[in-house]
Amino acid sequence: MVCIMSGASRQLTLFLYGCCVAALGVQAEEHCPAERHQAAQYVAAVYEHRSILSPNPLALTSRKQALELMNQNLDIYEQQVTIAAQKGVQIIVFPEDGIHGFNFTRTSIYPFLDFMPSPHLVRWNPCLEPHRFHDTEVLQRLSCMAVKGEMFLVANLGTKQPCHSSDPGCPNDGRYQYNTNVVFSSNGTLVDSYRKQNLYFEAAFNTPPEVDHITFDTPFAGKFGMFTCFDILFLHPAVRLLRDSEVKHVVYPTAWMNQLPLLAAIQIQRGFAIAFGVNFLAANIHHPSLGMTGSGIHTPLKSFWHHDMESPEGHLIIAQIQLEDTAGSVPDHCNKANITNALSAMPLPSDSLDSDEKPAVTLIRDMGLIPGPGRSHMLWSN
Ligand SMILES: *[C@@H]1O[C@H](CO)[C@@H](O)[C@H](O)[C@H]1NC(C)=O
Ligand SMILES: *[C@@H]1O[C@H](CO)[C@@H](O)[C@H](O)[C@H]1NC(C)=O
Ligand SMILES: *[C@@H]1O[C@H](CO)[C@@H](O)[C@H](O)[C@H]1NC(C)=O
């Protein structure tokens, strides 16, 4: 599979490590008038995780060694779930690459990959049925955390999918390798999964043969959409998902390097929440030396965010999200129906993914909604 790089990606490379935004702590800001009434709500959490990384991601390791490393990260996840559970959290999101790390080759990542059956084909609770499939240790732990915390849990891991040489797309080594998000319900059932479409220099992974447009249902807040990191800049699947007017929330694991002027993590997350009128749950990894920080729970009305270039520690953000439809009481750009109209007017190329795409970032910028220097106090306030 060829990974198509857009102009945006070249710009990203250019600005790599170019950011030194210094804002500390969780900030909350309002940018549309808040409504004053009682409303149904849910409690969400995102965890900015400082992942424990393999000292040499190019080296070949055994599955046992890979699991030892990943279990250290999963131990931290489990502590966070316990803390979140005490605060009544109903859904928690962990970042991209948080369990296995990054900079692998296709071969060196292999011991880090779990096998994952399609949740559309088998109903499976890895915590309750640990022996049903081999090489599923990470999925088992995540599932058990969801059970223990009695909350929906979203995480990102590497997965492998064996294929046959009769499949023309099947790589020479006989398997697809995907950068995958998984969702577990509060009883540990694997509800759905999403394979990252727009890879960002990730030699270890394959681009899925067809785009996953994934939404999942929750008893507390209805439909969520799901995609990963670089995907946020593209029509498929990010913008396309938001055409479904029932999708009012998005979960977004990311491993994002901040780039000025228009691609700082908080900025793009918040711009997306406002522009599309959705609640956006974004979990980034925390590696300030690589410019990686910036997570948040963003509603069209308010952002709870964390951006910290100083502390070496991870950070848990918990926020209550109102379920009330904000239509009619807030400015046009905060109105979901209005946004859906705007999206319906966009051409959707069916036969070609790389032509005629209007990246989300352009749409948001066209609408004048990306906060930038001089326009917002978000990133430049003390
Ligand atoms: C990963 O690659 C980046 C860029 O090439 C490099 O700066 C960084 O140190 C690497 N990180 C690890 C953990 O190997
Ligand atoms: C577990 O959660 C799933 C998804 O929310 C639900 O469909 C299923 O009925 C639940 N199973 C049990 C045993 O409660
Ligand atoms: C929202 O709807 C109004 C009235 O239908 C329209 O004039 C306006 O251009 C729309 N705004 C956006 C951002 O789509």
Side-chain angles (χ1 to χ4, degrees), residues 30-37 301-302 329-330:
E30 299 192 20
H31 37 81
C32 293
E35 290 173 277
R36 300 270 166 259
H37 52 71
L301 302 177
K302 205 169 189 177
S329 54
V330 294

Side-chain angles (χ1 to χ4, degrees), residues 223-243:
K223 255 192 197 181
F224 283 70
M226 169 160 72
F227 50 85
T228 310
C229 198
F230 200 35
D231 284 330
I232 197 171
L233 301 184
F234 295 89
L235 181 61
H236 290 286
V239 177
R240 180 66 185 78
L241 274 184
L242 276 302
R243 276 192 162 186

Side-chain angles (χ1 to χ4, degrees), residues 203-356:
F205 294 117
N206 295 108
T207 300
E210 69 279 336
V211 188
D212 291 340
H213 291 105
I214 300 297
T215 62
F216 62 92
D217 228 349
T218 64
F220 52 84
K223 255 192 197 181
F224 283 70
M226 169 160 72
F227 50 85
T228 310
C229 198
F230 200 35
D231 284 330
I232 197 171
L233 301 184
F234 295 89
L235 181 61
H236 290 286
V239 177
R240 180 66 185 78
L241 274 184
L242 276 302
R243 276 192 162 186
D244 178 346
S245 60
E246 282 179 29
V247 176
K248 298 203 164 75
H249 321 269
V250 172
V251 290
Y252 178 66
T254 189
W256 188 281
M257 290 184 212
N258 291 301
Q259 351 259 335
L260 294 179
L262 283 172
L263 290 172
I266 302 294
Q267 190 181 26
I268 191 84
Q269 294 162 16
R270 186 176 170 193
F272 196 92
I274 299 169
F276 293 96
V278 291
N279 301 315
F280 199 74
L281 281 47
N284 199 357
I285 51 175
H286 186 75
H287 293 283
S289 63
L290 299 174
M292 292 165 144
T293 178
S295 305
I297 296 175
H298 310 271
T299 78
L301 302 177
K302 205 169 189 177
S303 277
F304 300 87
W305 55 275
H306 176 77
H307 176 111
D308 185 348
M309 292 293 287
E310 309 291 321
S311 163
E313 304 296 324
H315 185 88
L316 183 67
I317 303 173
I318 296 177
Q320 285 188 345
I321 297 182
Q322 308 298 320
L323 285 177
E324 204 62 29
D325 188 1
T326 56
S329 54
V330 294
D332 277 350
H333 69 264
C334 300
N335 177 331
K336 178 78 202 278
N338 201 303
I339 298 295
T340 308
N341 282 343
L343 290 180
S344 309
M346 289 169 54
L348 277 186
S350 52
D351 51 346
S352 153
L353 291 182
D354 56 335
S355 66
D356 295 333

Side-chain angles (χ1 to χ4, degrees), residues 17 53-54 57 102-103 290:
Y17 308 132
L53 299 170
S54 161
F102 40 80
N103 288 5
L290 299 174

